[in-house]
Amino acid sequence: NIGQYFDGTILKNEEATEKAFLENLPNHDIVHLAMHAMVDNEKPTNSRLIFSPDKDTVHDNYLHNFELYNMNIPTRLAVLSACNTGYGNLRSGEGVISLARAFTYAGAESVVMSHWRVDDQSSSIIMKGFYKYLADGQDKDKALRLAKLEYLANASPLKQHPFYWNNFVIVGDVSPFDVQSKWYQAWYVYLMGILLIGLAFGIVFKKR
């Protein structure tokens, strides 16, 4: 569904390994993880995201909190569509030790996180709406709000309970994600290059 609004690399099922994620991570401005997560309340640094199993002997297919703190993740947006990614122990002077906090610490400019267990069906609908509004140029927080309102307008009375739609929140930079900005920047640089080359030739011919 997200592929309708944003181009990117989609890793599903057996392709979605920890190794593949780490290899593709530096090449994308948005990271979306729809998967299982395990929260360890006794040792919060041991909380982890669970990737598909792989025969790779270097990676164990668990991305732990303590690993994230040692990583560089300069993405503009990380969407953690998994259970309890914003949940964790509250430590004095540090805040909530969650997976979302680890992504922020690693450099993600903004993070969408969950406060409790994720319902697969409702979350997929909300996420589709979120990216639709994001692609329209809405602020990130407004895009999430509009996606929730759209979900509520079409959900059954049972599925209108806040458990199904009020799970996800966003923290960090909520400015719009300009999908076309890079395209315009590339063309601007290209055209400026042509103009400068033309100007240089003009000066040379004038001197001759």
Side-chain angles (χ1 to χ4, degrees), residues 2-194:
I2 296 171
Q4 299 177 47
Y5 309 107
F6 289 88
D7 293 328
T9 304
I10 299 174
L11 302 172
K12 299 187 297 181
N13 302 322
E14 66 277 357
E15 297 175 333
T17 63
E18 183 186 9
K19 179 182 179 182
F21 168 71
L22 295 174
E23 288 176 347
N24 283 278
L25 180 61
N27 305 320
H28 299 83
D29 287 332
I30 299 177
V31 173
H32 183 98
L33 296 169
M35 61 205 312
H36 290 295
M38 293 182 67
V39 175
D40 191 329
N41 286 320
E42 296 295 324
K43 296 181 179 179
T45 55
N46 200 38
S47 295
R48 53 202 180 272
L49 295 166
I50 304 172
F51 289 84
S52 294
D54 189 18
K55 295 180 181 179
D56 177 36
T57 57
V58 177
H59 304 96
D60 59 3
N61 297 301
Y62 295 112
L63 186 59
H64 294 82
N65 235 352
F66 65 82
E67 293 179 280
L68 288 164
Y69 279 102
N70 294 313
M71 292 174 59
N72 179 32
I73 307 178
T75 59
R76 295 176 62 189
L77 173 64
V79 180
L80 308 182
S81 185
C83 297
N84 300 302
T85 52
Y87 179 83
N89 284 340
L90 179 62
R91 289 190 176 179
S92 178
E94 293 189 59
V96 177
I97 309 301
S98 65
L99 288 162
R101 183 182 186 274
F103 269 85
T104 301
Y105 186 89
E109 294 179 13
S110 55
V111 179
V112 174
M113 61 184 182
S114 61
H115 280 315
W116 54 77
R117 184 171 61 83
V118 171
D119 177 76
D120 288 341
Q121 184 179 20
S122 60
S123 64
S124 65
I125 295 171
I126 290 171
M127 286 302 167
K128 180 181 178 181
F130 172 62
Y131 283 99
K132 180 183 71 173
Y133 289 112
L134 204 61
D136 285 342
Q138 300 286 351
D139 290 349
K140 298 184 188 77
D141 56 342
K142 187 175 181 180
L144 186 58
R145 175 179 176 271
L146 290 172
K148 291 177 179 180
L149 290 173
E150 186 175 64
Y151 167 82
L152 282 170
N154 296 284
S156 66
L158 176 63
K159 291 297 182 75
Q160 290 178 355
H161 189 280
F163 168 80
Y164 294 99
W165 62 268
N166 202 28
N167 190 2
F168 292 104
V169 297
I170 186 166
V171 294
D173 178 21
V174 297
S175 59
F177 197 98
D178 190 351
V179 183
Q180 295 181 330
S181 61
K182 287 192 171 183
W183 183 85
Y184 283 126
Q185 290 170 9
W187 271 103
Y188 177 79
V189 172
Y190 177 71
L191 290 173
M192 284 300 294
I194 292 175

